[in-house]
Amino acid sequence: MAPEEEHPVKAFGWAARDESGHLSPFLFSRRDTGDEDVRFKVLYCGICHSDLHNLKNDWGFSVYPMVPGHEIVGEVTEVGSKVKKVKVGDKVGVGCLVGACHSCDNCNRDLENYCPKMIFTYNSIYHDGTITYGGYSDHMVADQRYIVNFPANLPLDAGAPLLCAGITVYSPLKHYGLAEPGKHVGVVGLGGLGHVAVKFAKALGAKVTVISTSPDKQQDALTQLGADSFLVSRDQAQMQAAMGTFDGILDTVAAVHPILPLLGLLKTEGKLVLVGAPAKPLELPIFPLIAGRRLVAGSAMGGMKETQEMIDFAAKHNITADIEVVPIDYLNQAMERLAKGDVKYRFVIDIGNTLAAAAAAAASKP
């Protein structure tokens, strides 16, 4: 069945049809608003580095046609009869997931993001067997469990990336005990994830050092983002001087890179937590782990309870992403720039003001 005929409610967005990753206008459909569902008009959607990986099928499990986007914010237009947490007119968001089994141990512990049957916001198969489509679209519908309330003082455009980038760094900082006063935390990579990691770690009381291959990012790290210090990972003298001084390091890099130098920076029992997702495996040196009782760990976004906690914390501490807002018809150029790291530090699509014009232009073509 054609995408626009699968469900009763017509929808419009931008989609990729194949591994070229090229995005263009796309007609599809969404389900009716169920008893537990919240429907909202999409106003903004962040562009995540994982969108780029998925578009190109870098991880090998892409499903086409694909409407990406899992940093989605907007205004509620309809709620189901059993919805209590939001009402029409509220500002809300949807992050990386829209479904899970709700009965396993992980779900019972508010860790839906680790449920074996977790359903991604896009590029996944929903309970009814249809493909999930993300936020590069005019509207969204999701079970109320996966709806995040946006506080009034948190701007929607700069707040949108927190639904993936924000929770992806907040969760491991909390879980691995790095978000405490007096802890020395390193942040590797100053991109979409890294720049919000600095902000959250500082707000949580840690001393923060940015670790980067690019000396030209030092001023941004120290003056704009509030890091305490900056370490050039290619400078052997700097790295040697910092050996054994970090309680933990959050590695946000999504490209293949050596982790041996990072392990040397950790104190005894220090933790290297990987949240970037390179397309190829990293090499794991064992001796630095054994010699320092060190831990290499991973973390994937967060459950819904923790995501709401993170958004509320961000609103309280005025934490937002540094963004470049772009129109929907700039999507392909934005993806090209993202691949080259040419953004400070997150693209956000102005869906509310630019998608309708793109739809009208598409409709007028013969």
Side-chain angles (χ1 to χ4, degrees), residues 3-4 9-17 22-30 42 45 55 65-69 133-140 328-329 331-332 349 351 354-363:
E4 64 265 36
V9 183
K10 300 300 181 188
F12 176 75
W14 278 48
R17 273 70 166 186
H22 182 80
L23 291 145
S24 58
F26 177 62
L27 295 171
F28 65 109
S29 55
R30 296 200 186 274
V42 178
C45 186
L55 285 169
M66 180 192 301
V67 178
Y133 294 120
Y136 297 10
S137 58
D138 55 358
H139 73 279
M140 188 76 193
I328 191 82
D329 57 9
L331 256 182
N332 292 301
I349 312 163
I351 302 284
T354 67
L355 186 69

Side-chain angles (χ1 to χ4, degrees), residues 88-235:
V88 171
D90 285 355
K91 302 300 190 294
V92 297
V94 165
C96 300
L97 57 156
V98 292
C101 77
H102 303 167
S103 59
C104 69
D105 180 59
N106 285 329
C107 285
N108 290 333
R109 294 166 56 213
D110 295 310
L111 295 171
E112 302 96 336
N113 54 311
Y114 296 115
C115 172
K117 297 182 179 178
M118 187 262 290
I119 300 171
F120 288 112
T121 301
Y122 72 91
N123 193 41
S124 200
I125 303 298
Y126 199 63
H127 299 298
D128 61 6
T130 60
I131 295 173
T132 58
Y133 294 120
Y136 297 10
S137 58
D138 55 358
H139 73 279
M140 188 76 193
V141 59
D143 185 289
Q144 65 172 333
R145 180 166 179 156
Y146 300 93
I147 294 288
V148 178
N149 289 285
F150 252 61
N153 68 315
L154 189 64
L156 293 182
D157 53 359
L162 301 181
L163 291 166
C164 173
I167 187 59
T168 297
V169 298
Y170 180 88
S171 184
L173 286 170
K174 296 277 283 190
H175 178 75
Y176 290 106
L178 303 177
E180 298 169 7
K183 295 287 188 183
H184 185 194
V185 175
V187 175
V188 185
L190 201 59
L193 290 175
H195 89 286
V196 290
V198 173
K199 296 183 182 187
F200 276 111
K202 282 297 294 180
L204 289 160
K207 174 189 174 185
V208 181
T209 297
V210 171
I211 304 166
S212 175
T213 58
S214 307
D216 58 356
K217 290 187 176 180
Q218 180 166 348
Q219 185 172 354
D220 272 4
L222 300 179
T223 59
Q224 186 175 331
L225 302 174
D228 296 286
S229 54
F230 189 88
L231 187 56
V232 180
S233 57
R234 289 176 175 156
D235 186 320

Side-chain angles (χ1 to χ4, degrees), residues 357-366:
S364 66
K365 289 181 179 178

Side-chain angles (χ1 to χ4, degrees), residues 152-327:
N153 68 315
L154 189 64
L156 293 182
D157 53 359
L162 301 181
L163 291 166
C164 173
I167 187 59
T168 297
V169 298
Y170 180 88
S171 184
L173 286 170
K174 296 277 283 190
H175 178 75
Y176 290 106
L178 303 177
E180 298 169 7
K183 295 287 188 183
H184 185 194
V185 175
V187 175
V188 185
L190 201 59
L193 290 175
H195 89 286
V196 290
V198 173
K199 296 183 182 187
F200 276 111
K202 282 297 294 180
L204 289 160
K207 174 189 174 185
V208 181
T209 297
V210 171
I211 304 166
S212 175
T213 58
S214 307
D216 58 356
K217 290 187 176 180
Q218 180 166 348
Q219 185 172 354
D220 272 4
L222 300 179
T223 59
Q224 186 175 331
L225 302 174
D228 296 286
S229 54
F230 189 88
L231 187 56
V232 180
S233 57
R234 289 176 175 156
D235 186 320
Q236 293 304 312
Q238 286 189 28
M239 292 291 282
Q240 190 64 37
M243 293 280 275
T245 62
F246 288 81
D247 295 288
I249 295 174
L250 205 59
D251 187 342
T252 71
V253 176
V256 174
H257 61 290
I259 62 173
L260 177 60
L262 303 176
L263 295 174
L265 296 174
L266 294 171
K267 296 177 181 177
T268 300
E269 299 184 339
K271 301 162 184 174
L272 172 63
V273 186
L274 306 173
V275 295
K280 295 180 180 178
L282 302 181
E283 188 174 306
L284 179 64
I286 301 303
F287 281 109
L289 302 183
I290 296 172
R293 204 188 195 184
R294 298 179 178 108
L295 176 72
V296 176
S299 184
M301 60 261 188
M304 298 316 302
K305 181 179 179 182
E306 189 174 47
T307 301
Q308 186 66 61
E309 175 190 309
M310 176 275 305
I311 284 289
D312 294 341
F313 181 90
K316 180 179 179 181
H317 294 273
N318 297 313
I319 296 172
T320 55
D322 291 9
I323 61 170
E324 179 179 334
V325 178
V326 297

